[in-house]
């Protein structure tokens, strides 16, 4: 059979029309990858489908484009459930192209046949199985619209194996490029914007809490303009970290459930709990971000900007500004600039002083930790070494659990729009390193630092080979404390004992890296870390720095303090 002009070729052409330049995929669907290669679309070949999904997620977060991941039917497809659910929870546009059994084999117990549509429905915005080659362009466009419009999220297109090999249908009239997000930007009503501006202008103790939606909308510049123009203090969630310059005198840092001892915003908590007006931007008001819904003040008035109507008022009744964060923040600032902002500007010096004093108190509290020469190495010291090497175009990626808590509290955003990527939708382990590889594909220049615990990294060891083969340079720091830290500490606090899964046999992660052809360095003394980081930054490829870390180091989780 002539495979030069098939449905798979039409899919590849459609992907190119939508701005896709790479696919994260193993071999299947083979014909799609072969056709895509003819058009110059790069294949990033992961080792396991779930990590491929994490790569596509990070790629989408950094580029403003759709991340495309491919998989075979059956167990390979099942491994996409976790990354797609993460993308659904945090509104990241990912499209999964999944090969299915041939159409004449449906419901006959074909090899690896399962009910994919039922499996994918809870973890995607949209899922369809294409059965008619003449509709392939229609369905491809529908997948991209589903992924990029409204609240972005994942879409799944099931592609029967025999369909891909059919001759391509007549050329489609479709010419739109739909692979960027937000696809459609909308504004709230003028009266609602006027009311929100008036409320902020007249507030005594306002605060802005920015979530990941600011990054998804590309609204960091507009948020920074609002912060400066209206003299508003701005805090962020973990996913919103980097949406403002954290060195700005009106920036509080990350506020969430990190207000225990040594927390970065511990001494600024009262600026949230005592606020009379809270402006939420792209914020899900989820459990972690709100410290189990105890952090945000009960008596405050809330204004909530979000593209998802169902999120506004979910946990806090709010003035509803339903629309795109970038357009809405710009319109809100324009209205504020026409009002009397004397109250806001008059209060600015005191607000800045309060923030400065709280931050200085934190610095004094943690000085003994960030400067510690103890071995095993304190995580705070590790963060200080990384922070001193951050630049405005650096990207920091972390696994869930303790890794994301350390970077949220001890690394500083250098500019509005700096990116800190963390899997906070499901907060599952194993995301960090694959996400860093996807980030490198998205951003070929600049430093990419990845911080993972040894527990989480064990889920993704195999992708070291991917990094070497695909020449993806990442500075990978493994916090090797020999335990599942969050699990062990939480179990001890709650039950006075911990389960058998919490302690590991010793692992030399640097040796693992070298075995794959990557650079591997083991650090056992804090004085060795700076040189190891500098060598990693100067190296040609991926470098793993295995840091023997204090297993008794507790991050500033508020729950540990009150239980």
């Amino acid at each position: 059979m002539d495979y030069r002009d098939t449905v798979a070729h039409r899919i590849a052409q459609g992907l190119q029309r939508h701005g896709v330049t790479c696919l994260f995929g193993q071999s299947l669907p083979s014909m799609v990858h072969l056709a895509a290669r003819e058009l110059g679309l790069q294949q990033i070949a992961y080792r396991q489908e779930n990590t491929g999904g994490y790569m596509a997620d990070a790629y989408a977060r950094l580029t403003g484009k759709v991340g495309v991941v491919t998989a075979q039917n059956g167990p390979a497809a099942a491994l996409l459930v976790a990354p797609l659910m993460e993308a659904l929870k945090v509104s990241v546009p990912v499209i999964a192209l999944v090969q299915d059994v041939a159409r004449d084999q449906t419901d006959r117990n074909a090899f690896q046949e399962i009910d994919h549509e039922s499996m994918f429905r809870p973890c995607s915005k949209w899922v369809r199985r294409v059965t008619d080659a003449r509709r392939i362009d229609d369905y491809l466009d529908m997948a991209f619209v589903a992924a990029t419009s409204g609240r972005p999220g994942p879409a799944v297109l099931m592609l029967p194996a025999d369909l891909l090999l059919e001759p391509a249908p007549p050329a489609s009239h479709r010419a739109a490029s739909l692979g960027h997000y937000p696809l459609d930007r909308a504004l709230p009503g003028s009266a609602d914007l006027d009311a929100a501006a008036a409320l902020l202008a007249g507030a005594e103790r306002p605060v802005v809490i920015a979530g990941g939606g600011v990054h998804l909308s590309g609204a960091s510049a507009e948020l920074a303009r609002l912060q400066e123009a209206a003299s508003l203090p701005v805090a962020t969630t973990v996913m919103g970290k980097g949406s403002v310059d954290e060195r700005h005198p009106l920036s509080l840092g990350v506020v969430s459930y990190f207000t225990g001892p040594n927390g970065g915003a511990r001494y600024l908590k009262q600026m949230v709990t005592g606020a009379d007006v809270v402006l939420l931007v792209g914020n899900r008001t989820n459990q972690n971000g709100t410290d189990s819904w105890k952090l945000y003040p009960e008596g405050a008035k809330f204004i909530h900007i979000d593209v998802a109507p169902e999120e506004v008022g979910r946990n806090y009744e709010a003035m509803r500004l339903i629309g795109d964060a970038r357009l809405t923040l710009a319109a809100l600032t324009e209205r504020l600039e026409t009002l009397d902002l004397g109250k806001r500007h008059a209060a600015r010096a005191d607000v800045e002083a309060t923030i400065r004093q709280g931050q200085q108190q934190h610095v004094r509290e943690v000085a003994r930790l960030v400067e510690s020469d103890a071995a095993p190495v304190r995580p705070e010291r590790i963060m200080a070494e990384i922070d001193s090497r951050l630049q405005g175009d650096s990207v920091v990626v972390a696994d869930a659990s303790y890794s994301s808590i350390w970077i949220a509290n001890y690394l500083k955003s250098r500019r509005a729009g700096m990116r800190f990527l963390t899997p906070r939708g499901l907060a599952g382990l194993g995301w960090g390193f694959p996400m860093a590889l996807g980030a490198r594909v998205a951003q070929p220049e600049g430093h990419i630092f990845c911080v993972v615990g040894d527990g989480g990294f064990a889920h993704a060891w195999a992708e070291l080979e991917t990094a070497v083969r695909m020449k993806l340079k990442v500075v990978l720091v493994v916090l090797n404390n020999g335990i599942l830290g969050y699990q062990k500490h939480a179990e001890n606090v709650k039950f006075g004992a911990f389960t058998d899964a919490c302690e590991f046999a010793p692992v030399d992660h640097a040796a693992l890296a070298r075995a794959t052809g990557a650079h591997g360095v083991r650090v056992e003394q804090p004085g060795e870390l700076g040189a190891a980081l500098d060598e990693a930054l100067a190296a040609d490829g991926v470098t793993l720095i295995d840091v023997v870390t204090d297993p008794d180091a507790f991050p500033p989780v508020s729950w540990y303090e009150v239980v």
Side-chain angles (χ1 to χ4, degrees), residues 116-190:
H116 293 90
E117 291 182 73
S118 294
M119 179 178 72
F120 285 129
R121 200 165 287 117
C123 62
S124 65
K125 287 182 64 180
W126 182 94
V127 55
R128 294 292 189 277
R129 184 172 188 262
V130 185
T131 59
D132 184 346
R134 295 171 298 177
R135 298 293 310 283
I136 189 62
D137 290 298
D138 299 341
Y139 277 105
L140 194 61
D141 282 19
M142 281 190 273
F144 274 90
V145 169
T148 59
S149 62
R151 179 177 183 167
V156 181
L157 205 57
M158 300 298 306
L159 303 168
D162 61 318
L163 174 85
L164 295 171
L165 302 181
E166 275 193 24
S172 169
H173 65 279
R174 292 183 174 273
S177 182
L178 306 168
H180 60 279
Y181 70 95
L183 183 61
D184 309 303
R185 295 184 184 268
L187 266 173
S190 182

Side-chain angles (χ1 to χ4, degrees), residues 256-561:
S256 61
Y257 70 117
F258 307 153
T259 56
N262 307 319
R266 175 175 174 81
Y267 299 107
L268 298 172
K269 181 178 178 179
Q270 73 278 6
M271 295 192 69
V272 177
T273 60
D276 64 335
V277 175
V278 180
L279 173 60
L280 305 171
V281 188
N283 182 335
R284 292 176 292 146
T285 64
N286 66 339
Q287 183 174 8
N288 286 348
T290 62
D291 198 5
S292 294
W293 308 285
K294 299 190 300 288
L295 179 62
Y296 296 0
E298 291 184 5
K301 294 181 179 179
F302 288 83
I303 306 166
H304 197 157
I305 299 172
D306 207 287
V307 72
E310 70 277 8
E311 292 300 336
V312 177
R314 178 192 288 272
N315 294 309
Y316 300 91
E317 187 172 8
M319 184 178 295
R320 301 173 63 83
L321 296 184
I322 309 302
D324 173 68
R326 191 170 82 187
L327 293 185
T328 303
L329 286 170
L332 184 61
T333 303
E334 290 173 2
R335 282 163 170 77
L336 277 164
E337 289 174 336
T338 68
L339 302 177
D340 181 1
L341 294 175
K343 181 182 290 189
R344 297 273 26 87
H345 297 322
R348 178 166 180 158
D350 287 342
V351 171
E352 290 185 358
T354 299
I355 295 172
R356 184 168 58 253
Q357 290 163 9
Q359 291 174 339
Q360 289 172 347
Q361 194 169 354
H362 165 70
V363 169
R364 290 192 296 270
E365 181 180 52
V366 302
R368 62 185 175 81
L369 300 174
V370 299
E371 299 169 5
S372 173
D373 289 325
V377 187
R378 290 288 307 194
E380 298 90 345
R381 172 67 186 269
I382 299 170
M383 294 305 109
E385 295 284 357
I386 295 173
D387 187 69
S388 69
R389 289 162 174 81
L390 290 185
Q391 300 172 353
D393 63 349
S394 298
V395 175
V396 181
V397 187
D399 218 333
S401 194
Y402 280 1
S403 300
S404 57
I405 301 174
W406 294 125
I407 73 161
N409 283 276
Y410 288 91
L411 302 185
K412 289 281 189 184
S413 169
R414 266 52 179 180
R415 63 177 179 88
M418 188 173 174
R419 298 309 302 269
F420 296 80
L421 305 185
T422 54
R424 300 307 300 181
L426 296 183
L429 290 178
W431 262 261
F433 182 48
M435 288 185 75
L437 300 184
R440 174 52 78 199
V441 175
Q443 186 168 305
E445 304 299 327
H447 300 320
I448 294 182
F449 296 88
C450 180
V451 178
V452 298
D454 50 346
F457 182 54
H459 292 254
W461 286 345
E463 301 306 337
L464 281 166
E465 186 276 333
T466 300
V468 172
R469 174 168 34 89
M470 303 303 302
K471 297 180 173 57
L472 301 174
K473 177 179 176 178
V474 170
V475 178
L476 171 63
V477 178
V478 179
L479 307 181
N480 184 356
N481 60 8
I483 61 172
L484 276 175
Y486 216 150
Q487 195 69 25
K488 181 179 179 179
H489 293 162
E491 287 178 356
N492 271 334
V493 168
K494 190 171 183 179
F495 305 114
F498 59 89
T499 55
D500 293 342
C502 293
E503 293 187 336
F504 306 138
V507 175
D508 187 342
H509 299 92
L512 282 174
R514 292 193 295 270
T516 68
H519 304 290
V521 180
R522 188 172 175 88
V523 170
E524 298 183 356
Q525 298 293 328
E528 302 166 355
L529 182 56
L533 286 167
D534 291 338
E535 290 174 10
L537 291 170
D540 292 333
V542 61
T543 299
L544 185 155
I545 304 175
D546 188 25
V547 187
V548 181
T549 308
D550 186 353
D552 295 321
F554 281 69
V557 177
S558 57
W559 183 71
Y560 289 162
E561 186 176 32

